[in-house]
Amino acid sequence: MRPHLTSRRATLGIGTVRIVVAAFVVGLLVQGYIARIAVGDGNPFDYFGFFTNQTNLLMGLLMVATGGFMLLDRPMPRRWATARGVMTACLLVVAVVYNGLIPGTGTASAWVSAVLHILFPLYVLLDWLLVGDRPPLRWSRLWIVLPYPLVWLAVVLVRGVTDGWVPYGFLLPERGVVSLLGYCAALLVTFVVAGAAVWAGSRARGVLLPRDATTSA
């Protein structure tokens, strides 16, 4: 079998898996929101205010898009690779914080919680490391992992002192300014560390669809 045919089949297979897995995760989130509506708790700002729900939804949409690029045999634009890098770092933080700081399923069933907090982040990380369809990300742009969580934190803290809603207990206003600042600082450091790990991982040539190691972003 000619190498280019093998590579094309691999590209189609990986792209299809990305779309199927991501569509499944997005479907879980939509189903969860519909269930909240059914019990009279359908405020989208609450449901999608959870960082877990936001990041899984955004990464799901990104994976559908990047899978589409593969099916269409089109190169992934660099900005999409950077966005994937940011969201991969965010999902790493979701997995680390959830499993280390706030274990439990919340209102979700145990298996849905496992998908959103463990299985999908693990899949996203393995895809990032093993599939060589992304360029090495520039270290000078590592800062780009911070704006999104900073905006999320700002919105959550404002909501906490206005309408009293926060998605996670460690962000409750009654914990005090010092505690909140400490948790926020620790979270931002975790994002930078996760981002650095993802940026370093982008330099891996990849086992599946390996790229030329000299490719640069």
Side-chain angles (χ1 to χ4, degrees), residues 40-150:
D41 187 21
N43 186 336
F45 297 104
D46 290 354
Y47 183 76
F48 292 104
F50 284 89
F51 197 74
T52 294
N53 292 348
Q54 282 189 24
T55 50
N56 275 271
L57 176 62
L58 292 173
M59 179 55 92
L61 297 176
L62 275 172
M63 294 298 272
V64 168
T66 58
F69 286 129
M70 300 183 89
L71 296 186
L72 295 173
D73 200 20
R74 293 174 54 190
M76 186 190 306
R78 292 176 180 177
R79 62 182 179 274
W80 285 88
T82 301
R84 269 187 67 205
V86 170
M87 296 313 301
T88 299
C90 287
L91 278 180
L92 285 180
V93 173
V94 165
V96 169
V97 172
Y98 173 82
N99 292 286
L101 186 61
I102 49 174
T105 63
T107 59
S109 63
W111 74 271
V112 170
S113 187
V115 169
L116 300 181
H117 296 103
I118 302 173
L119 298 180
F120 190 51
L122 179 60
Y123 166 75
V124 165
L125 177 61
L126 291 176
D127 183 281
W128 181 260
L129 295 175
L130 299 180
V131 183
D133 67 331
R134 71 286 179 274
L137 303 179
R138 292 173 180 165
W139 287 110
S140 62
R141 292 185 60 79
L142 179 59
W143 62 268
I144 206 167
V145 302
L146 289 177
Y148 168 48
L150 275 170

